[in-house]
Amino acid sequence: MPVLEELEESFCRYRIDRTFRAELKALLDRYAGRPTPLTFAGNLSRKAGCRIYLKREDLLHGGAHKTNNCLGQALLARYMGKKRLIAETGAGQHGFATAMVGALFGLKTVIYMGEEDTHRQRMNVLRMRLCGAEVVPVKTGSRTLKDAINEAMRDWIAHVEDTFYLFGTTAGPHPFPTMVKHFQSVIGREAHRQIRSLEGRLPDAVVACVGGGSNALGIFQAFLGRAEVKLYGVEGAGEGLEGERHSAPLNRGTDGVLHGAYTRILQDGDGQIREAWSISAGLDYPGVGPEHSHLRETGRVRYVAVTDKEALDAFVLLSRTEGIIPALESSHAIAYSLKLGRRLGKEAVVVVNLSGRGDKDLEHAQSALERIGRVL
Amino acid sequence: MTRYAATFQALRARKEKAFIPFFVMGDPDYGTSLDAVKAALGAGADMLELGIGFSDPIADGPTIQAADIRALQAGMTVDRCFRFIRDIRTFSDVPIGLLVYCNLIYRRGIDRFFREAGQAGVDGILAADVPVEEAGQFLEASDRWNVDPIFMVTPATTEKRLDAILKRASGFLYMVALLGVTGARGSLHPAALKLLRRVRSRTDLPICVGFGISRPEHVRMLARSGADGAIVGSAVVDILARNLSNRSKMIREVGSFVRQMKAQTLPR
């Protein structure tokens, strides 16, 4: 608790501090490459039957939106005088982004990654190590993201003095959900401005995938107050919502406490946490950011789910039609935008958060495609 | 008078400290676990701390994590844990504290969990991941069902939080001897004795020290430094883990370990 209070206090102080903000802005612009473009996906739009724009977080340095949050938190760590960064990672994108900023700021960096995920995302492990981070394979539990979080929390409890836990998503204990949303909200601010200048109006819908939920909250934030903009969060339906192999706590979970947040989680009747499943390592988390649970309850955001197969199809389709290889996570959002087109009509403007690029997923996607009898 | 109050009073009268072994209920299976508890009580354990296995025990090191997994794989559920405690109550009247992660309490319903625990014979509940700031409903339920709310104090606990905890805690105070997770350590952390002095000066509530306590000399040192009890988890669970293929040796070793540790809590 004291360490969370210290973090909250520092975050509240520096988020409004002029020097901190200027320094973060400069890093985002000149190191990470903001603003990222909003690309009209003409070929995909014809297929989908609506006007689809892609918010290109895949073009951000590091290859995913994670860099926004990592720069913000690492800068905060420096202002707080911390010497060591730790982080959990699922797909490896957050781990890699943390390793990048660790190298940039000269901070010792340790990344906890489920052993299962270190195999699924070998390239990201290499990238992290290349940037000087120590990657610790986590061998407990389901050996995926939730277990990596458990292990990072254990490390943090033992090293609170010098260590900053750079949490990757809008889940976990307060102030992480608030703080991560804050650092990711730059996505929505830009998209809001860009779509107005390109289309002269706000979009009819904004679509983003939801694992922990940081890219989704990041882009939704700017549109929450505009009721005419429909918001869709897309969870991983895995092999189907009717079975147990999915990662859709907002669609199929129940209320509970995981990693210090009261939210929708996948659990059994006793409250034991169930393992989540998704083709995409970045989505298979049995919980979700508490703000998403709230937005689900108020009905402001509609939470839907897309299967592994639909996501794979979208992964291939975007590559073929636009020459853009999306991350498997973001492929879930693409897949749902195709369904939306048929519903909203061809004049409808849909913004999809393309949260990351798919280079990291090539091997994994290829073997998944082969299993269903397709070749790249 | 509660079992905790009566037991600590009796111990103080005899100038003894409490020795409190920790077990994960159902580790490695229901029957063996119950035998281990019996052996510990037979060897002089004054109280028990019992854990309900959880899928994501973030406050625990590898030893207890493995015990949780063994218990869950052996089919332990919350219902069976309450039955386990009722079974203990057929042969023992020592105070029993429950160590549990809060999702298991939430899922069942806070009030129902405390009621069923109390009815099974639980004297105190420590929810490892519920800070005092969030404990409102837990405190109401503990009050209603006469189960003491046990709180942890660590070397990182600020004065302000210590105040809040002391206002609400009853039964005893669980002092965490180090910064970190559970697990046997070679030596007692220097912060432990410092924290003990700091907390001792603030409360008459019994203080029991846990985390990293594994050797007789740790217990002796704590007993002489004003602690009212020592809680030993990983070192006990280690005995179970080491002897999974020889149950009778396991039970014997639990007995002799507890006897050796209990001896350190007697007056000089």
Side-chain angles (χ1 to χ4, degrees), chain A residues 235 246 248-250 252-259 261-268 271-274 285-289 293, chain B residues 54 103-104 106-107:
Chain A
E235 296 192 291
H246 59 74
L250 290 163
R252 284 290 186 276
T254 43
D255 291 346
V257 178
L258 177 61
H259 297 137
Y262 183 58
T263 186
R264 304 288 280 192
I265 60 177
L266 300 178
Q267 58 184 331
D268 71 9
Q272 305 289 353
I273 308 304
R274 274 190 19 218
Y285 179 56
V288 64
S293 295
Chain B
F54 184 51
N103 195 51
L104 301 179
Y106 262 120
R107 182 65 168 155

Side-chain angles (χ1 to χ4, degrees), chain A residues 284-295:
Chain A
D284 68 356
Y285 179 56
V288 64
E291 191 163 343
H292 284 294
S293 295
H294 171 72
L295 292 169

Side-chain angles (χ1 to χ4, degrees), chain A residues 1-2 5 140-141 146-147 149-151 153-155 157-161 254-260 262 265 267-274, chain B residues 52-61 65 69 72 76-79 102-108 129 131 133 154 156-158 161 179-181:
Chain A
M1 276 307 284
E5 283 162 7
T140 53
K146 83 173 169 71
D147 310 284
I149 294 176
N150 294 341
E151 215 47 48
M153 284 185 165
R154 292 179 186 120
D155 179 319
I157 300 169
H159 303 100
V160 289
E161 289 293 322
T254 43
D255 291 346
V257 178
L258 177 61
H259 297 137
Y262 183 58
I265 60 177
Q267 58 184 331
D268 71 9
D270 262 1
Q272 305 289 353
I273 308 304
R274 274 190 19 218
Chain B
I52 302 182
F54 184 51
S55 53
D56 293 76
I58 55 169
D60 286 299
Q65 287 174 45
I69 290 168
L72 291 173
M76 281 309 276
T77 59
V78 175
D79 280 333
C102 77
N103 195 51
L104 301 179
I105 303 179
Y106 262 120
R107 182 65 168 155
R108 181 154 288 235
D129 49 350
E133 291 85 345
T154 81
T157 303
T158 58
R161 292 196 74 239
L179 287 176
V181 296

Side-chain angles (χ1 to χ4, degrees), chain A residues 288-339:
Chain A
V288 64
E291 191 163 343
H292 284 294
S293 295
H294 171 72
L295 292 169
R296 174 188 163 276
E297 259 172 44
T298 65
R300 178 64 189 94
V301 179
R302 249 198 89 197
Y303 292 94
V304 295
V306 154
T307 63
D308 286 352
K309 185 174 174 309
E310 292 169 313
L312 268 175
D313 286 340
F315 176 81
V316 174
L317 182 66
L318 190 68
S319 307
R320 296 267 160 89
T321 55
E322 302 287 343
I324 297 171
I325 303 172
L328 281 175
E329 290 78 8
S330 324
S331 299
H332 287 72
I334 302 286
Y336 191 73
S337 70
L338 296 170
K339 299 184 183 184

Side-chain angles (χ1 to χ4, degrees), chain A residues 350-370:
Chain A
V350 175
V351 172
V352 179
N353 196 8
L354 190 59
S355 54
R357 69 177 185 221
D359 311 43
K360 68 183 173 61
D361 294 316
L362 285 185
E363 260 183 89
H364 189 57
Q366 190 191 19
S367 54
L369 282 166
E370 276 167 5

Side-chain angles (χ1 to χ4, degrees), chain A residues 38-296:
Chain A
L38 186 69
T39 304
F40 176 62
N43 301 328
L44 185 72
S45 293
R46 270 192 294 283
K47 296 252 180 209
C50 65
R51 301 175 60 74
I52 295 181
Y53 285 85
L54 305 174
K55 180 59 176 161
R56 302 293 304 280
E57 295 302 295
D58 61 317
L59 293 179
L60 195 67
H61 176 49
H65 72 291
K66 296 291 185 188
T67 307
N68 301 319
N69 172 49
C70 287
L71 281 172
Q73 287 198 50
L75 191 60
L76 185 60
R78 194 164 75 182
Y79 273 66
M80 290 171 73
K82 302 289 180 184
K83 303 282 180 244
R84 180 172 174 266
L85 293 180
I86 58 170
E88 82 294 342
T89 195
Q93 286 305 116
H94 173 61
F96 176 52
T98 304
M100 277 165 26
V101 299
L104 178 66
F105 289 149
L107 298 167
K108 184 172 158 44
T109 305
V110 179
I111 308 294
Y112 290 94
M113 186 170 190
E115 195 185 35
E116 174 73 23
D117 290 333
T118 62
H119 300 313
R120 281 197 282 191
Q121 303 287 344
R122 221 156 31 91
M123 283 308 286
N124 270 336
V125 174
L126 293 177
R127 294 203 284 169
M128 287 184 263
R129 292 193 170 137
L130 182 58
C131 289
E134 181 191 347
V135 180
V136 181
V138 175
K139 295 176 182 169
T140 53
S142 57
R143 304 175 181 211
T144 60
L145 180 58
K146 83 173 169 71
D147 310 284
I149 294 176
N150 294 341
E151 215 47 48
M153 284 185 165
R154 292 179 186 120
D155 179 319
W156 202 27
I157 300 169
H159 303 100
V160 289
E161 289 293 322
D162 69 336
T163 297
F164 187 100
Y165 183 5
L166 208 166
F167 200 73
T169 190
T170 49
H174 181 73
F176 285 117
T178 311
M179 185 163 71
V180 176
K181 177 181 75 170
H182 174 78
F183 289 131
Q184 290 294 3
S185 61
V186 62
I187 305 173
R189 279 198 306 279
E190 284 176 12
H192 187 277
R193 192 173 67 231
Q194 289 164 323
I195 195 68
R196 288 194 55 168
S197 102
L198 289 167
E199 282 281 341
R201 66 178 179 96
L202 289 179
D204 297 287
V206 177
V207 185
C209 65
V210 179
S214 72
N215 90 82
L217 275 187
I219 194 162
F220 289 167
Q221 187 64 6
F223 301 98
L224 279 175
R226 301 299 293 266
E228 70 271 29
V229 182
K230 294 187 176 69
L231 304 174
Y232 295 92
V234 187
E235 296 192 291
E239 295 176 356
L241 290 183
E242 54 291 336
E244 295 215 327
R245 277 163 75 83
H246 59 74
S247 57
L250 290 163
N251 280 282
R252 284 290 186 276
T254 43
D255 291 346
V257 178
L258 177 61
H259 297 137
Y262 183 58
T263 186
R264 304 288 280 192
I265 60 177
L266 300 178
Q267 58 184 331
D268 71 9
D270 262 1
Q272 305 289 353
I273 308 304
R274 274 190 19 218
E275 290 173 18
W277 165 265
S278 169
I279 188 168
S280 123
L283 296 188
D284 68 356
Y285 179 56
V288 64
E291 191 163 343
H292 284 294
S293 295
H294 171 72
L295 292 169
R296 174 188 163 276

Side-chain angles (χ1 to χ4, degrees), chain B:
Chain B
M1 199 187 285
T2 66
R3 286 195 193 93
Y4 274 125
T7 306
F8 279 114
Q9 195 180 62
L11 285 166
R12 279 179 182 178
R14 299 201 302 268
K15 297 194 162 46
E16 273 178 50
K17 312 292 184 177
F19 178 71
I20 312 168
F22 167 87
F23 296 90
V24 174
M25 287 180 274
D27 164 34
D29 60 66
Y30 193 100
T32 311
S33 184
L34 200 59
D35 287 345
V37 165
K38 261 185 208 159
L41 291 171
D46 300 290
M47 309 177 186
L48 293 169
E49 272 293 288
L50 298 176
I52 302 182
F54 184 51
S55 53
D56 293 76
I58 55 169
D60 286 299
T63 306
I64 310 260
Q65 287 174 45
D68 281 8
I69 290 168
R70 284 194 297 270
L72 291 173
Q73 279 176 350
M76 281 309 276
T77 59
V78 175
D79 280 333
R80 281 189 198 146
C81 286
F82 289 150
R83 199 178 82 204
F84 189 88
I85 289 158
R86 283 196 297 274
D87 283 349
I88 296 174
R89 282 291 173 238
T90 62
F91 58 82
S92 172
D93 205 34
V94 299
I96 296 178
L98 210 56
L99 218 153
V100 57
Y101 285 88
C102 77
N103 195 51
L104 301 179
I105 303 179
Y106 262 120
R107 182 65 168 155
R108 181 154 288 235
I110 296 172
D111 196 72
R112 181 180 157 205
F113 189 98
F114 275 79
R115 171 168 55 81
E116 291 182 359
Q119 286 167 353
V122 167
D123 299 291
I125 293 182
L126 195 169
D129 49 350
V130 177
V132 66
E133 291 85 345
E134 307 285 345
Q137 289 170 280
F138 292 79
L139 289 162
E140 283 169 30
S142 72
D143 206 38
R144 192 170 310 125
W145 302 107
N146 293 315
V147 176
D148 284 318
I150 313 295
F151 285 96
M152 284 183 177
V153 177
T154 81
T157 303
T158 58
E159 283 300 303
K160 205 174 128 214
R161 292 196 74 239
L162 184 57
D163 282 341
I165 289 167
L166 290 177
K167 243 182 244 147
R168 291 164 184 86
S170 60
F172 69 91
L173 207 58
Y174 193 127
M175 204 196 93
V176 177
L178 46 78
L179 287 176
V181 296
T182 58
R185 310 289 204 280
S187 62
L188 199 57
H189 199 282
L193 297 181
K194 206 172 132 202
L195 178 63
L196 187 54
R197 279 193 296 274
R198 184 179 140 211
V199 179
R200 179 79 290 165
S201 69
R202 297 284 310 278
T203 181
D204 289 328
L205 206 60
I207 301 172
C208 299
V209 185
F211 282 49
I213 315 297
S214 57
R215 297 186 178 176
E217 59 266 31
H218 300 163
V219 174
R220 190 164 58 237
M221 175 91 89
L222 289 170
R224 289 176 188 175
S225 307
D228 296 280
I231 303 167
V232 174
S234 295
V236 173
V237 170
D238 261 339
I239 297 174
L240 308 193
R242 275 203 314 269
N243 294 290
L244 290 174
S245 55
N246 189 343
R247 301 291 152 106
S248 58
K249 181 159 169 273
M250 173 198 290
I251 302 306
R252 269 199 318 275
E253 278 193 28
V254 167
S256 59
F257 179 77
V258 170
R259 205 166 293 118
Q260 189 191 7
M261 297 297 257
K262 174 59 196 168
Q264 312 302 320
T265 70
L266 303 175
R268 270 179 287 183

